[in-house]
Amino acid sequence: MSSKLPDRPSGPRRGRHGRGRRGPLMPMHLPAYRSRPERFDDAVMASAQRLSQRWPGEIEKIDFLIDPVPSGKLLEQAAALGERVPLASSKPAAPGRPARIVIYRLPIEQIAENAGELLDLVHQCVVHEVAQLWMKPISEVDPMYFPEDPDF
């Protein structure tokens, strides 16, 4: 006579006391549900989407990357020139590789005093790097955000 063990459910396991993961600790509608890096990713995506409305098909040709901090080489170059820590960098397209914009999360988060300012800084960095890649004035890349009239 063979004894067969009961089938175990394939879902998440609970601890030996019947407790364990039951669900998210934070409801999805609260801001703390997403981590800081995830919210930063969202800010970069929102900025790129905003520009894609003005430049359909062009922004999609650019790879947007997010790194925590600039590389040691970039930091050394900035220090040698007496400049501040870079907030973003870009590389033009090459054969077999699209143009690339890298946004550095931690330097921007350290400068921003609140969530609204963080969104503004991210968008400024994205627009500045796009303008450099395309060799266009910043006001042409996003005239609504960077008006040419300084009294605006």
Side-chain angles (χ1 to χ4, degrees):
M1 177 171 183
S2 68
S3 64
K4 184 179 175 189
L5 294 174
D7 291 333
R8 291 185 178 217
S10 60
R13 293 186 63 185
R14 295 192 180 256
R16 65 185 179 139
H17 297 288
R19 294 181 293 271
R21 292 185 354 173
R22 295 184 181 153
L25 295 175
M26 186 68 58
M28 291 177 69
H29 67 279
L30 295 177
Y33 179 75
R34 309 235 336 129
S35 68
R36 268 189 5 207
E38 289 172 332
R39 289 191 304 264
F40 192 87
D41 293 352
D42 293 344
V44 174
M45 289 290 293
S47 180
Q49 287 175 346
R50 180 177 173 174
L51 289 178
S52 71
Q53 292 173 356
R54 177 161 168 77
W55 303 95
E58 295 299 316
I59 291 295
E60 288 79 13
K61 296 177 185 174
I62 300 173
D63 280 346
F64 290 88
L65 305 171
I66 299 167
D67 282 346
V69 293
S71 67
K73 183 179 176 182
L74 278 177
L75 290 173
E76 289 171 9
Q77 289 174 350
L81 296 171
E83 296 177 352
R84 63 186 173 126
V85 173
L87 303 178
S89 65
S90 58
K91 289 186 180 178
R97 184 183 57 80
R100 179 179 303 163
I101 293 178
V102 182
I103 308 293
Y104 302 113
R105 181 176 60 85
L106 292 176
I108 293 174
E109 285 181 341
Q110 287 177 347
I111 294 171
E113 294 182 12
N114 55 46
E117 193 173 320
L118 180 91
L119 293 173
D120 288 344
L121 282 170
V122 166
H123 191 65
Q124 287 177 11
C125 290
V126 169
V127 170
H128 182 265
E129 296 302 323
V130 169
Q132 280 192 326
L133 282 175
W134 292 349
M135 293 183 276
K136 293 183 184 271
I138 291 174
S139 59
E140 187 178 335
V141 173
D142 189 357
M144 297 300 293
Y145 198 75
F146 295 99
E148 289 187 51
D149 183 13
D151 295 329
F152 181 72

